[in-house]
Amino acid sequence: MKPKKEYVILPKSNNDKEVTDLGLGSYIPEGSHRIINKDGSFNVVRKGLSYFETFSVYQWLITMSWLKFGTLIFSSYLLINIFFAFLYYIGGESNFEGIEASTEFHKFLNEFFFSTQTFTTVGYGRINPVGIYSNTISSIESLIGLLSLAVATGLLMGRFVKPAAKIIYSENALIAPYKDITGLQFRIANKRADHQMVDVEADLLISHINDGKVKFDKLTLEYDKITFFTTTWTINHPVTEESPLYGKTEKDLKDSNAEFFILIKGFDDTFAQIVHSRSSYKYNEIIWGAKFVSIYAAPEDGKTIIDLEKISSFTKAELPESKILSAEN
Amino acid sequence: MKPKKEYVILPKSNNDKEVTDLGLGSYIPEGSHRIINKDGSFNVVRKGLSYFETFSVYQWLITMSWLKFGTLIFSSYLLINIFFAFLYYIGGESNFEGIEASTEFHKFLNEFFFSTQTFTTVGYGRINPVGIYSNTISSIESLIGLLSLAVATGLLMGRFVKPAAKIIYSENALIAPYKDITGLQFRIANKRADHQMVDVEADLLISHINDGKVKFDKLTLEYDKITFFTTTWTINHPVTEESPLYGKTEKDLKDSNAEFFILIKGFDDTFAQIVHSRSSYKYNEIIWGAKFVSIYAAPEDGKTIIDLEKISSFTKAELPESKILSAEN
Amino acid sequence: MKPKKEYVILPKSNNDKEVTDLGLGSYIPEGSHRIINKDGSFNVVRKGLSYFETFSVYQWLITMSWLKFGTLIFSSYLLINIFFAFLYYIGGESNFEGIEASTEFHKFLNEFFFSTQTFTTVGYGRINPVGIYSNTISSIESLIGLLSLAVATGLLMGRFVKPAAKIIYSENALIAPYKDITGLQFRIANKRADHQMVDVEADLLISHINDGKVKFDKLTLEYDKITFFTTTWTINHPVTEESPLYGKTEKDLKDSNAEFFILIKGFDDTFAQIVHSRSSYKYNEIIWGAKFVSIYAAPEDGKTIIDLEKISSFTKAELPESKILSAEN
Amino acid sequence: MKPKKEYVILPKSNNDKEVTDLGLGSYIPEGSHRIINKDGSFNVVRKGLSYFETFSVYQWLITMSWLKFGTLIFSSYLLINIFFAFLYYIGGESNFEGIEASTEFHKFLNEFFFSTQTFTTVGYGRINPVGIYSNTISSIESLIGLLSLAVATGLLMGRFVKPAAKIIYSENALIAPYKDITGLQFRIANKRADHQMVDVEADLLISHINDGKVKFDKLTLEYDKITFFTTTWTINHPVTEESPLYGKTEKDLKDSNAEFFILIKGFDDTFAQIVHSRSSYKYNEIIWGAKFVSIYAAPEDGKTIIDLEKISSFTKAELPESKILSAEN
């Protein structure tokens, strides 16, 4: 039940703060500001590298919303065809067979639609290139069309098969009675009904200010791994004497600007890959003296029923005396 | 040989049942109802989230049968083309060149087939768009056709490359003689002749009611990992004094509504990924006093022959006295 | 240095052989027959399941040679187009525009080429469908063409991105002097110059007959993991007193029909996946009293030079007395 | 804090150097030459296998620059179409309908453009094949076109989804004060702003010449794993009495031709895969008596600001006496 050694940052007498660069920084934001947002993203800004050095086009295209992605596809299609229509228009009408247009705008339109027919390789052929110029450009355009299809296929697959856990976290973490001591508890559930998770592991860390120093500690869990994650999991850190929370009050957590970080990892049945999820609780999201209410409804037809609306529901609960002090004591 | 600590739920005096949320619920269905079905799916119903929050279209398209998938593809193709044919029909005949039709229905048919030629980008061109309206719509349709191809490619690959173990389990688990005690044994084989599995691990858990409480325990295995999984593997839980099964009778397992859960994990040669398989045995699928018969036929040409029809075959076997009691004692 | 417990099959007094189903069977083929072939495949035949239950089309298409795959693609293309040409031919000439043929065979040929133009969606349009029958069939054929493209894309990617280690094994394993005892040694190298492997692990097992029983034992390695696998790795099993080889002679290995199994696993730089490789040495591939010669040539420009032609080269070496006995003693 | 046993190569009395084949060779290049380059590639040359045995076309196409890849695509397109245009040209003009050309060169050009229209399946149809010869060749060309598209799709996806860590390493490693001893320290950061890494592990090895023998040792790290890798990580090897660096001077490292190897592994959020990165420091890239300056700027809006331009910045720092001796002592 001792915290794993490799994570605990012991007080170091003659050591400057650089050595505590363990991936989460050496600064704890105050008040409601946080290091890890509820959605798992990090409040870190990088400077010193140009935008292009850190930017990944692929990543951007994979993670944007479907609406944005669709809009991007359609407007790229429009722009590419306007560009090629312009090239065809420059070449002049004599480069084509089948253009029937009375005005310059209609000619351009004809060439725009010819371009779409070339880019998508539909190639009806009523309008078709006769000169070297138009033939050369259209042979390039149809190749670009095919390559764009290849890229679109890759992007769509990347968007579909983006392995990530969808975990629902209880809104608050609780300081709850546990055996004859207390436990820091929160509850998680798998949001996806059709993706089973197995071999799920949890990591819980705390960042707090201790003797004026930023400290990160790993918190030991009652169970840090479960085999099947079908219903819910109440993750529990028992506040034993070894816990950095031992003897701490609600005010202590506030004064030390505490934030709890969670990393959930597990094997996703559908993706056949390890997926993970991150979240955090700030000190003001901790409820002292409470316990979660059951998430189970009465079973039907021998089936377990869980009601995910209750994932955050708790009731008041008496904490044992003198082990961990309640607020303002 | 002691059960791993993190899985065993010890009786807790002052703790309510929420803390036992270890992913499999706090309810054990009675009789032949079960938590994990033989095919590895879970008997859990989720409420409190809307259908769309938990539903994944991709997952649905990937896991449906090939017949359903084919039907869906063809009917989508039909509907999309009826929709576009309708749009072309609205635009009127003058928007097209090459339509030769005497009746309105034939005109619609002409436009339907023009639509299929556009969507698939085959574009013969006899019928082709001349107006702005029909050209605009057909340029959109051909783009949608290409994107549909990209999506279809992604879905087909997802359907092909769906890494999952295909494990055959013996129909029953046996309480068999093992050394001078007994063992709970079941037998598995790899169904796929062309997918080798290596580094295969097994987890065995039991859910039962103990002193009126739902308990989940991990059962220690004689071997919990094998390097090569080419033939079969008889997974064996020795019923030592540390086992939760120690001293239990057939009636005890029935009264405690016992169910055994299995998780098999291994590295699949072909997918180059970890795959897994789940199953379970309910108390009434346990045979007391039996042992598996050999699955091996006489070797031929120096080759080991296994007969998978015998995977579930067993014969009666005397259990040692006074270690684990037989039924109704 | 003690063998890991979970692999070692201890002699069991009252236990029948089924319990030794640890994935490699309960039969050791004699003479030059082997359980694992040099290329890593297994000499196991499955019966009791129909061919279709164990056969995976995808797996078959992914692993066949490029020549076979190409032949299959082209002959499928031919057959599909003959089939559709036949359907078009049945419909009659009046269903098409643009067929210019004097004989029935030329008509069929015209329809065959129209079919290829439809299947590939090239759709020149000189020959094009005018009737409902031909239009319906060609709209189905072009859809099938697109879906075939999607399938081909999936198969080609599966063939390209088939993560597997390409390991070269020394032809023989050696009983070599090691410190003041002996070691069973063999040498491996990464065949692929452009795929780096890191965190490479090795497993070594032996199957032999002991007191008339088939036994599988894990052999402890001097190093069972290396961080970088850039040059070669001489895998060494020190024959200490705990080794199942301790005190064994060349004749003992022959009499016990010994076969050594190897499983190599590592992280492949290019695939960003774990890959593995299997092989085996039969007792008659063991050289007693030899050591490998250096595989390194003189370094050039500060670069390490390895000569993979020497991977199997060894010289005679004196074995220490009385530790492990040489042949015929 | 003891080095892991499996990596440390102990001095062996009667053992020749082959046994030290632990993947990095048995030769340490002198001066500024190195075993692992700064970009993680290895200075190893393989001989004894033909070029084709070790060469992987796929790997080559996946790793070449985008410029080269684009050039290759376009020139292949050109060459394929010239080849088919030549085949069509051989067949003669009578095999085609719609060729309007006064010179032989124009005829060839017509057939070249017809070829591009066939390969990309755009198939306008003005020029179209009428004879058996041209129809046969164009039906083959359009199939090849489709298969090329399938290959291109696979290659583009392989190029996009190439999971690899982009780690920035500090230019130098430092011998810095640590507690009351010293530590070998270097600093890393994640270059990608949009790829979070979790569960990041580090391995540090040293190659040096010891008593005339090449030795590889694993160096123990203060922390060898961090949960979140959002900002930076200062990797620290404390030079305790167990360290192979204990008591060594700057001159010692030079004389032993020391090189430090680093392997970083972690789970990449976006790829949902383990990625890794390699690098090394040669003895002349070690700064004695220095410590890294803070990389953190003043936080803004509760956000941690890191300035990656400072990743290599250090200041002079006094080393504790008599523990590890500074240069030229």
Side-chain angles (χ1 to χ4, degrees), chain B residues 120-168:
Chain B
T120 61
T121 78
V122 78
Y124 300 117
R126 181 175 59 79
I127 305 174
N128 67 72
V130 290
I132 293 179
Y133 175 79
S134 56
N135 261 310
T136 304
I137 290 179
S138 63
S139 68
I140 292 170
E141 185 179 11
S142 55
L143 177 64
I144 290 175
L146 286 193
L147 295 176
S148 303
L149 174 58
V151 170
T153 305
L155 290 177
L156 281 163
M157 286 193 61
R159 291 181 69 90
F160 282 140
V161 195
K162 205 165 12 140
K166 288 204 178 165
I167 302 288
I168 315 176

Side-chain angles (χ1 to χ4, degrees), chain D residues 106-124:
Chain D
H106 270 81
K107 274 182 209 161
F108 185 82
L109 264 187
N110 265 273
E111 270 140 357
F112 175 81
F113 289 124
F114 166 75
S115 168
T116 64
Q117 291 159 23
T118 301
F119 186 82
T120 61
T121 79
V122 77
Y124 300 118

